[in-house]
Amino acid sequence: MAADRDEKLAQALVSMGLLTPEQLDEAQRVVEDENTSLVQALLRLGYATAQDLARAAEQVPSEAEDRPVPAQPRAEDLAAEPAQPPDRRRRSRKVSLDNYEIDPEAMRDVPKAVAEQHLVLPIQVSEDRMLVAMADPGNVFAIDDIRARTGKRVEPIEVDEVELRNAIDHYYATRARSQVSMQAATSTSLDMQVTGSEFAVDVDQKLAEMLDQAPVVAIVEQILEQAIQMRASDIHIEPRADNVRVRYRIDGQLMTYTTLPSDMHRYALSRIKIMAGADISETRLPQDGRFATEVDDRPIDVRVSTLPTYWGEKAVMRILDKSRALVSLNQLGMSQETMHTWERLLHTRQGMVLVTGPTGSGKSTTLYASLHTINDDTKNITTVEDPIEYQVAGVNQTQVHPRIDLTFANALRHILRQDPDIILIGEIRDIETAEMAFRASMTGHLVLSTLHTNDAPSAATRLVDMGVEPYLIASSMIGVVAQRLVRRICPRCREEVEPSEMELERLELSADQAKKIKFHHGRGCAMCRNTGYSGRIGVYELMVITPELRDAIAAGANASELRRLALRGGMRSLKYDGLSKVNAGVTTAGEVITLLFAGEQN
């Protein structure tokens, strides 16, 4: 099977010295997280080249007799070449896609996710055959998959991998935009149907009926599908004077995906609001909602927020892909020392531990990873969340419903009657929730929650500002971890660079200090869409509450004084952790500077 061969190939790479065991472990985590093959994970991470894989494949026994028969060659091809024995490792001469006219219709039955998985691009199609560009024309599994999807005979041509990755991104994005444009062009007929009616029909009811029809449904589905395939966390639909801009947030950065005609704005927004259970007749007030959908058989939850602006309502859709596996603590980016200390805090029988940071800094991911670490059959773990982002086996999860007065505080009051060992509160938002959480942590429960602060020491002063008594904080809180997310350097195009004077100045590093750090950046490649970055990783500071800090909190010390004591007690700051990741080639100086200035962290 493919998995067995991947394992043998990996072991061959390790034995030949082309891959380290640590790199293999990281690649296997990518396989689990992204549901891809080990070969693709190694190529994506830059831990192996096509040449390395070819050399290793020579050491792996062939399994051709167990595989499906590949597509038969054309008669004219057989006539043009001498007969040769079948050899899976044979490579045809590479060609350039510039020599071919790409037919967008060829991509219709092969989704982008499949094209990226197999590294293939359908380029021409006829009644019974399909010409497909492939990085590995000997990949019979890819050929069989395409044949099964299309019902056509596959004729592969070999193309350089980098050129192929770039072409997959370009041509699938171009086809998606053209589909949206074509569908949007028919929107004027919807206007005629609504405004041309001479009957006393409720316009909103009429509009709601038409929104279940194409092209509006197709446009919204296309926007969602592309966002999910590109691993976007948010979709922004923004009306402007002469068009509607659609942007995706990928790795924390917004990028424009496409634009729609202005007359599509009303229908697209109304369709989204109906899906989210919002009121389509109300356009003057902000609204919130949510809906569930499926994309490529993956369950997706979408949270919707609308806001009235000068040119009309803006909508933001936050995407939660429930098919993603829960991460473990060792995948978050914590240093070994920080992770071991945090795990020790999580195994304390009672007390309060907090995860702090701004919106979108990965706090929920850290909480779920922490639950994963301490979850077993001997503990009664109960959560109260808004929303429940992941369903965790063995954990009792409660969803907040403010409309029926099921708030964090009310839910927590009842949870305490359920004999819990560990309680997770999605967020401490008000004094009532905070006081109940701290009192629970004093009566034999471990309580985990999140708070919005710039750094770990500020958590105590933020709680005091909310109205929590300092003695409650001092007696209950045992640890606070603050975090941010920074973009990872693309492993394929990563290289060392010299830092600029401005970077050294903003990082407050002397020339001697800078010599001890290796600086890196990504020069840009097809794998990272020429951004130099691929994915994100956490930067952390962990403040353990020592007796000295406990006394200072009870005495009402400010955040600066708490920071000084924490650093003296061994806390490593966000800046320290960020520079450690710069030195390791994980992120850039620019990302750390953005982190520090955004959080006003020194």
Side-chain angles (χ1 to χ4, degrees), residues 347 370-379 381 392-395 422:
H347 284 89
S370 300
L371 275 189
H372 181 71
T373 299
I374 56 180
N375 182 19
D376 62 50
D377 290 340
T378 67
K379 299 182 180 71
I381 303 176
V392 185
V395 174
I422 299 168

Side-chain angles (χ1 to χ4, degrees), residues 78-196:
L78 292 174
E81 296 182 1
Q84 296 177 350
D87 183 357
R88 184 180 179 278
R89 292 184 293 270
R90 179 175 300 281
R91 292 290 185 267
S92 60
R93 183 177 299 174
K94 292 182 181 179
V95 298
S96 172
L97 287 175
D98 293 339
N99 299 328
Y100 292 86
E101 181 177 350
I102 310 298
D103 181 4
E105 278 302 301
M107 294 173 257
R108 183 182 60 186
D109 296 325
V110 181
K112 185 182 180 185
V114 174
E116 290 178 327
Q117 177 187 353
H118 294 312
L119 270 185
V120 298
L121 177 66
I123 57 178
Q124 292 178 7
V125 63
S126 66
E127 185 175 345
D128 62 345
R129 71 181 185 90
M130 176 177 284
L131 189 64
V132 179
M134 304 179 66
D136 177 10
N139 186 343
V140 293
F141 299 103
I143 292 174
D144 281 352
D145 190 1
I146 297 171
R147 182 192 297 138
R149 289 174 180 273
T150 64
K152 301 181 185 298
R153 185 180 64 180
V154 177
E155 296 183 3
I157 60 170
E158 185 174 13
V159 177
D160 177 74
E161 180 189 335
V162 173
E163 181 185 7
L164 185 56
R165 287 184 184 275
N166 197 35
I168 290 170
D169 285 340
H170 172 72
Y171 286 109
Y172 273 93
T174 300
R175 182 174 184 271
R177 292 190 186 98
S178 66
Q179 285 181 319
V180 169
S181 298
M182 290 169 57
Q183 292 158 353
T186 67
S187 65
T188 53
S189 62
L190 293 176
D191 282 318
M192 295 174 62
Q193 292 179 50
V194 174
T195 60

Side-chain angles (χ1 to χ4, degrees), residues 104-359:
E105 278 302 301
M107 294 173 257
R108 183 182 60 186
D109 296 325
V110 181
K112 185 182 180 185
V114 174
E116 290 178 327
Q117 177 187 353
H118 294 312
L119 270 185
V120 298
L121 177 66
I123 57 178
Q124 292 178 7
V125 63
S126 66
E127 185 175 345
D128 62 345
R129 71 181 185 90
M130 176 177 284
L131 189 64
V132 179
M134 304 179 66
D136 177 10
N139 186 343
V140 293
F141 299 103
I143 292 174
D144 281 352
D145 190 1
I146 297 171
R147 182 192 297 138
R149 289 174 180 273
T150 64
K152 301 181 185 298
R153 185 180 64 180
V154 177
E155 296 183 3
I157 60 170
E158 185 174 13
V159 177
D160 177 74
E161 180 189 335
V162 173
E163 181 185 7
L164 185 56
R165 287 184 184 275
N166 197 35
I168 290 170
D169 285 340
H170 172 72
Y171 286 109
Y172 273 93
T174 300
R175 182 174 184 271
R177 292 190 186 98
S178 66
Q179 285 181 319
V180 169
S181 298
M182 290 169 57
Q183 292 158 353
T186 67
S187 65
T188 53
S189 62
L190 293 176
D191 282 318
M192 295 174 62
Q193 292 179 50
V194 174
T195 60
S197 176
E198 298 179 356
F199 300 97
V201 178
D202 179 19
V203 174
D204 291 322
Q205 180 181 353
K206 184 74 172 178
L207 178 61
E209 293 173 358
M210 286 189 296
L211 289 175
D212 287 331
Q213 305 171 6
V216 179
V217 172
I219 291 174
V220 173
E221 287 181 353
Q222 184 71 50
I223 290 171
L224 275 169
E225 288 175 6
Q226 286 297 312
I228 292 163
Q229 288 174 3
M230 296 172 73
R231 297 188 180 91
S233 61
D234 300 87
I235 303 170
H236 291 240
I237 299 179
E238 304 164 321
R240 292 292 183 263
D242 53 357
N243 58 38
V244 180
R245 180 172 62 175
V246 179
R247 295 194 291 172
Y248 296 159
R249 188 177 294 279
I250 301 174
D251 293 339
Q253 302 291 310
L254 280 171
M255 58 162 284
T256 299
Y257 164 64
T258 190
T259 57
L260 302 175
S262 294
D263 57 3
M264 275 304 300
H265 174 250
R266 178 188 183 192
Y267 304 111
L269 259 290
S270 295
R271 172 63 182 170
I272 292 168
K273 289 165 74 173
I274 286 176
M275 294 169 69
D279 183 359
I280 64 172
S281 66
E282 179 57 75
T283 61
R284 302 164 300 170
L285 295 174
Q287 295 190 69
D288 296 316
R290 64 186 58 179
F291 63 88
T293 186
E294 284 193 0
V295 174
D296 295 334
D297 296 325
R298 294 153 56 188
I300 306 294
D301 277 358
V302 182
R303 282 184 281 172
V304 177
S305 172
T306 66
L307 181 72
T309 67
Y310 183 80
W311 295 109
E313 286 184 287
K314 173 186 175 180
V316 175
M317 294 184 281
R318 171 151 291 186
I319 299 169
L320 176 62
D321 186 349
K322 290 197 168 186
S323 68
R324 292 184 304 173
L326 286 176
V327 299
S328 56
L329 282 178
N330 60 7
Q331 295 175 281
L332 297 177
M334 288 184 180
S335 66
Q336 288 297 314
E337 181 180 350
T338 298
M339 184 175 67
H340 291 157
T341 304
W342 182 246
E343 286 180 325
R344 176 172 58 81
L345 294 176
L346 293 175
H347 284 89
T348 305
R349 292 188 63 86
Q350 72 177 57
M352 168 75 77
V353 290
L354 293 173
V355 182
T356 74
T359 300

